[in-house]
Amino acid sequence: MASYCALSTVALVLHAPPPSSAPVERYVFSTAAFPLVPPSELLTPFTGKPPPTSDLPEQFRATIAKLSTLSSTLSPLRPDCSFTLVVELRDDTDVRPPIRADTPWIAAEPGLQKQRIHPDDAENEDERQTGIRKGQDLGGVKTTPVRNVESGAFVLEMWVEEGRAKFEV
């Protein structure tokens, strides 16, 4: 049975100018901690006391304020950078991507993808345990946490990754 809430992260990826177009920064908004809800339970109300929502607007305002002040702490970008918006789905095997035949679906650059591997092909213990190899540009060389927005079981995590290409001359 396929689950909904297939979204894992949304990332705004800033790329260096051509010809390299290498990722230099990733602004990551992760919903990976959201609960998986099977289709049969989509309209089922939560039991118990509902989480408070009155402070969510304040949490989002604080997040935007933090993002706006990050430019003073991050290394400067080169002129003429471009960007892409990347939507990453969960790695769970029962997650159904929300695509139709008439929907354009473009894969991210290989360095920004995770790849399922056989444990015998693992290059380190982490890969052997998870069965996943991260792309070389995921994680960056410097990560700056932004903020978590929490409401009950729902946690939205945000951080910025600065890539290798940003520091190469």
Side-chain angles (χ1 to χ4, degrees), residues 127-149:
E127 288 182 1
R128 194 176 287 90
Q129 289 179 354
T130 62
I132 294 174
R133 177 174 292 147
K134 289 185 176 183
Q136 65 186 18
D137 295 317
L138 290 175
V141 293
K142 181 180 173 190
T143 302
T144 305
V146 176
R147 188 175 172 90
N148 288 350
V149 175

Side-chain angles (χ1 to χ4, degrees), residues 24 74-76 78 140-142 162-169:
V24 291
L74 298 175
S75 299
R78 299 179 213 168
V141 293
K142 181 180 173 190
E162 294 180 273
R164 282 179 204 84
K166 187 174 186 178
F167 301 103
E168 293 173 355
V169 178

